[in-house]
Amino acid sequence: MLVIAILASPRLLLFCLLLSVAAVLGGGWPLTAAAQTAALQTGVQVISANLAQPVLLGPAQMARLPRQQVTRPDHDGKNRTYSGVSLCAVLMAAGAKLGPDLPRKGMAHYVLVSAADGYQAVFALAELNPDFAPRPVLLADRCDGQPLPATAGPYQIIVPDEKKMGRCVRQVQSLRVVAAQPQS
């Protein structure tokens, strides 16, 4: 299982823990601008049973990953240009096997994206892999050249070619790679 959690400082860690508990209890709320700024300054921590230790992808590491831009309508129908790193690149930087290294058993894996308010969306691992799907799914941190607003960031999933924004998860808190359970 691979979990990517946004962490910044002990104070923000406590905030994120409280936010997670509130989301589980159904009382989630959006991250403040100060919490977003702190999360962006420190980066994204990647935790996996397959890694010897957690990996922190800070701004310097994220800057080394290839950035992409996509344009899609927002909730109001206005075309926006989002920029960020593909989920594939983020997962590969964390040690996940994607691209030509995606094992056959990876076809039965999925990524569960969770937001600060408890909202969740699912992506098949293969649909994030450019060897299977030509479209990039972004972990965006900018919209129209500006940092994401507090209601959407610090990170938002952007799926460029879907008719609705149901899987364009705002305020991404975690990404989990999960193996589907075989039916008996």
Side-chain angles (χ1 to χ4, degrees):
M1 181 186 305
L2 174 69
V3 177
I4 298 178
I6 299 169
L7 301 176
S9 66
R11 177 181 255 170
L12 186 57
L13 176 59
L14 178 59
F15 176 77
C16 289
L17 179 61
L18 292 173
L19 189 61
S20 298
V21 170
V24 168
L25 297 176
W29 59 88
L31 293 176
T32 65
Q36 284 189 38
T37 301
L40 281 171
Q41 289 173 348
T42 300
V44 177
Q45 186 175 23
V46 179
I47 304 166
S48 172
N50 298 331
L51 298 174
Q53 58 185 339
V55 175
L56 180 64
L57 296 177
Q61 293 87 357
M62 294 289 271
R64 284 187 225 125
L65 297 175
R67 289 190 65 84
Q68 296 182 354
Q69 288 188 344
V70 297
T71 301
R72 75 151 292 130
D74 64 10
H75 288 282
D76 298 325
K78 183 177 179 184
N79 274 341
R80 301 281 186 187
T81 300
Y82 294 90
S83 61
V85 178
S86 75
L87 272 184
C88 181
V90 171
L91 295 171
M92 288 175 71
K97 294 194 184 311
L98 286 159
D101 296 330
L102 180 66
R104 185 176 170 156
K105 66 182 177 181
M107 295 298 123
H109 286 68
Y110 60 92
V111 177
L112 176 65
V113 180
S114 299
D117 64 358
Y119 187 84
Q120 295 181 316
V122 173
F123 295 88
L125 190 57
E127 78 177 295
L128 302 175
N129 189 334
D131 287 355
F132 288 88
R135 68 152 187 228
V137 174
L138 293 188
L139 180 62
D141 59 0
R142 301 185 81 72
C143 177
D144 294 333
Q146 301 297 316
L148 291 171
T151 56
Y155 299 102
Q156 180 178 2
I157 299 295
I158 299 296
V159 187
D161 60 353
E162 291 187 337
K163 291 181 180 180
K164 300 208 177 222
M165 291 190 74
R167 297 197 301 170
C168 292
V169 180
R170 299 174 180 185
Q171 297 183 325
V172 173
Q173 216 175 28
S174 66
L175 302 171
R176 278 193 186 140
V177 176
V178 182
Q181 299 301 314
Q183 295 183 2
S184 50

